[in-house]
Amino acid sequence: PPPPPPPPGVTLPNIIFVITDDQDVLLNSFDAMPNFRKLMIEKGTTMSNFFVDVPVCCPSRTSFLSGRYAHNNGAIKVDGKPSSDWCGTKIFWKGPLQEYSLPVYMKAAGYRTGIFGKELNVVDEKYISPGWDRYFALIDECKYFGNSFADNGKRTTFDSTDYMTTIISNTSQQWLQQHLPRNESNPWPVFAYIAPHAPHQPAQPDIPNERAFSNLTAPRTPPWNISAPDHHWLISQQQPLSALDADESDEMFRRRWRTLISVDDMIRDLITTLEDVGELNRTYILYSSDHGYHLGQWRIPAHKELAYETDIRVPFVIRGPGVKQNATIQNIGANIDIAVTLADIAGYTIPREAQVDGISLKSLLITTSESEYAGREEFLFEHQGGDIRPVPGTCGTAWMKPGGFPSFSGLCSCGNPMQHWLTSRNNSYVGLRVINSTLNVKLVLYNDSVNFVELFDLSTDPYEITNLAGRSDYMQLQQMLTTRLDSLRACGAQPGQNGSSVICP
């Protein structure tokens, strides 16, 4: 059934949130997306300092949906199997906290709601997460052709020639055309959560795009293939990239860009659909990613999960009524702010028992907003690592096998027993990122046998090359940041209303 109609005289905006998977912002991924640049960046506002609290897919998405830090929503890791602790399965997905999540808020605000694509890493085809009117969630996340979807309580499987991003695009637009335009007999606004899996590995492009960008290589940014002995174990022990490592990293870069061509087409078609039904001018479109990515930085051929800017900094662009065009905002925003911001745009007050950690960015992003911007100068990020190392095999084959999940055997250095670790158990950390008028810094505390610390001054070292931790001239800053980080990481330790976490100060 549709939600209650909006109050008389109230016209709520449509809201569409597009979230990709593993899309970087620092390795120039938008250069693969000319439609996006023209229709979103030039027509909207970019937040250049937008971050995620966990640089891994499912935990970050849970923070987007819940508005809570990972240590407060329970989805702090992905352990590689659908067990009871898989990305907070027991706590968030199918758990009590899912009743306090973005789709529930939007439904309560009077929206028709639909999800199209990747929700979390675990999908039950017979289950529909609370708040969704249309539930079309990706089942096999790493299969770009012939995928299956949990489709409002049943499994829908597509032909082996049907491309995943195109399926998500077409299905979401059909739903929009079904419920728009609004009129007296159909007064409900729509909230669509559109989540293509691109450019996540194996980054298999649609057939027409298989040879695009063939002459390009991954950006050789300053951390690319460098020795960093003053960084934590995972980085300091990395062996140099071989020529084969670099070639395969470059091929993954090209494949990622090729998959983004289809996302770019989806954005073009989405905006065309909204124009055709006469709703574009009263629709907010937001675009982000669950985390970033690195390709050769720190001598790791391709992965995520690091505490560095490549992995925790993500795209964020918004267009819509009252949003400045071709503008950039330097303020910090984070994934935990999205649920709060969209509820605010929808005119919905999140109940106190939800105990969200995020703040609303509405007044920062929308010039006509009457909301008060609380301001954010810092945020906490965290991760619980696990061992991922290439298995012995024939280099250059398994990683690039179309249609299958990569085994990473192609990421080894042939003949070199010191294969590249992609992540490790001691790549577990909690960190603090601060940007204000006087500071642009990052502190990372690792949960390892030596309690390793990293401190970077990004105002002079934007690529995090030099670890300042332990230096006498930075000790006062390190102590101050540690105290603040301890305060943030402790929030939630004491039960708040309804037994949930206390609000982070």
Side-chain angles (χ1 to χ4, degrees):
V10 175
T11 301
L12 295 172
N14 303 305
I15 299 174
I16 297 175
F17 181 50
V18 179
I19 178 170
T20 54
D21 201 320
D22 288 19
Q23 185 171 359
D24 65 88
V25 68
L26 294 182
L27 300 182
N28 308 322
S29 65
F30 284 148
D31 287 352
M33 304 176 68
N35 292 316
F36 184 88
R37 188 170 295 280
K38 177 181 178 181
L39 298 172
M40 288 293 295
I41 294 177
E42 294 179 8
K43 295 291 185 179
T45 292
T46 298
M47 290 194 74
S48 59
N49 290 311
F50 196 85
F51 299 90
V52 296
D53 68 325
V54 185
V56 184
C57 306
C58 185
S60 175
R61 289 168 183 266
T62 305
S63 297
F64 269 108
L65 291 168
S66 69
R68 290 181 173 211
Y69 282 123
H71 65 275
N72 285 338
N73 65 41
I76 199 167
K77 69 172 181 175
V78 175
D79 66 3
K81 57 184 181 297
S83 61
S84 60
D85 60 354
W86 167 273
C87 187
T89 297
K90 215 170 183 180
I91 301 174
F92 182 77
W93 189 71
K94 289 190 175 182
L97 290 188
Q98 206 167 21
E99 295 294 338
Y100 299 105
S101 63
L102 177 57
V104 174
Y105 305 150
M106 301 306 290
K107 180 78 170 177
Y111 280 72
R112 295 186 190 270
T113 60
I115 181 171
F116 307 90
K118 181 174 179 178
E119 184 184 28
L120 304 174
N121 286 39
V122 177
V123 173
D124 179 346
E125 63 190 63
K126 297 181 181 179
Y127 178 72
I128 301 175
S129 295
W132 297 116
D133 297 314
R134 180 73 165 97
Y135 188 75
F136 188 76
L138 188 64
I139 290 178
D140 189 347
E141 60 172 0
C142 290
K143 192 175 181 182
Y144 275 78
F145 284 94
N147 215 309
S148 296
F149 290 77
D151 189 357
N152 271 25
K154 66 180 188 303
R155 174 185 287 257
T156 296
T157 299
F158 288 82
D159 189 81
S160 60
T161 60
D162 291 328
Y163 190 62
M164 173 171 41
T165 305
T166 303
I167 294 169
I168 293 169
S169 177
N170 291 344
T171 306
S172 61
Q173 289 173 56
Q174 289 166 5
W175 183 78
L176 291 172
Q177 291 166 342
Q178 178 184 355
H179 296 297
L180 297 175
R182 289 178 279 176
N183 50 47
E184 289 186 3
S185 61
N186 177 40
W188 299 280
V190 299
F191 169 61
Y193 183 100
I194 305 175
H197 194 45
H200 192 286
Q201 54 159 317
Q204 187 175 5
D206 201 359
I207 293 172
N209 305 323
E210 286 180 336
R211 298 190 180 277
F213 310 120
S214 295
N215 61 334
L216 298 185
T217 57
R220 270 45 172 174
T221 61
W224 191 86
N225 200 21
I226 67 164
S227 172
D230 64 346
H231 288 46
H232 74 110
W233 178 88
L234 178 65
I235 304 303
S236 64
Q237 61 79 41
Q238 293 287 345
Q239 298 299 301
L241 297 175
S242 68
L244 177 62
D245 292 331
D247 287 346
E248 293 196 334
S249 180
D250 289 339
E251 178 60 16
M252 178 55 84
F253 169 78
R254 291 186 287 267
R255 290 168 67 92
R256 286 167 54 83
W257 273 35
R258 290 163 185 161
T259 66
L260 288 173
I261 295 174
S262 297
V263 177
D264 196 42
D265 291 343
M266 183 191 77
I267 294 294
R268 177 201 61 207
D269 295 343
L270 170 64
I271 290 176
T272 298
T273 294
L274 292 169
E275 284 181 320
D276 289 346
V277 298
E279 292 280 343
L280 180 60
N281 291 334
R282 50 179 181 174
T283 300
Y284 290 103
I285 306 173
L286 300 89
Y287 186 101
S288 192
S289 178
D290 54 7
H291 52 78
Y293 209 70
H294 51 269
L295 287 156
Q297 288 71 32
W298 317 111
R299 294 181 169 176
I300 300 176
H303 202 51
K304 47 205 174 189
E305 301 191 40
L306 299 181
Y308 308 128
E309 299 290 284
T310 50
D311 295 17
I312 66 171
R313 185 188 291 264
V314 296
F316 182 87
V317 183
I318 179 175
R319 66 167 286 172
V323 175
K324 289 184 178 180
Q325 296 191 15
N326 204 24
T328 300
I329 292 175
Q330 303 293 333
N331 301 71
I332 283 184
N335 56 346
I336 60 171
D337 299 329
I338 290 298
V340 185
T341 300
L342 297 189
D344 193 11
I345 293 174
Y348 180 75
T349 301
I350 295 176
R352 177 170 174 77
E353 55 265 29
Q355 298 293 334
V356 294
D357 298 316
I359 62 173
S360 176
L361 305 175
K362 177 182 174 182
S363 62
L364 183 66
L365 300 171
I366 302 172
T367 58
T368 56
S369 170
E370 297 179 356
S371 300
E372 181 179 352
Y373 175 55
R376 177 186 292 286
E377 295 184 346
E378 62 187 18
F379 80 102
L380 174 149
F381 58 95
E382 54 195 321
H383 177 54
Q384 184 171 329
D387 292 341
I388 300 181
R389 188 179 187 183
V391 297
T394 303
C395 292
T397 56
W399 189 40
M400 294 303 162
K401 183 178 180 181
F405 192 89
S407 69
F408 294 102
S409 65
L411 287 180
C412 64
S413 298
C414 286
N416 182 356
M418 299 297 291
Q419 299 166 4
H420 296 282
W421 286 86
L422 305 183
T423 186
S424 56
R425 282 172 290 175
N426 59 7
N427 185 41
S428 298
Y429 54 80
V430 61
L432 181 69
R433 185 73 171 91
V434 178
I435 301 177
N436 57 35
S437 59
T438 58
L439 292 175
N440 184 5
V441 296
K442 176 187 292 181
L443 176 74
V444 189
L445 307 180
Y446 287 89
N447 181 18
D448 60 14
S449 60
V450 296
N451 295 319
F452 200 86
V453 179
E454 291 177 340
L455 175 65
F456 302 104
D457 183 350
L458 285 90
S459 62
T460 59
D461 180 23
Y463 292 98
E464 303 162 286
I465 304 296
T466 303
N467 182 11
L468 303 171
R471 283 181 35 171
S472 59
D473 50 340
Y474 281 89
M475 190 55 67
Q476 184 176 359
L477 174 63
Q478 182 175 330
Q479 291 172 347
M480 183 268 289
L481 295 175
T482 301
T483 299
R484 180 57 184 149
L485 178 56
D486 286 343
S487 174
L488 284 176
R489 70 194 296 194
C491 74
Q494 301 298 321
Q497 189 172 349
N498 282 7
S500 58
S501 64
V502 298
I503 298 176
C504 290

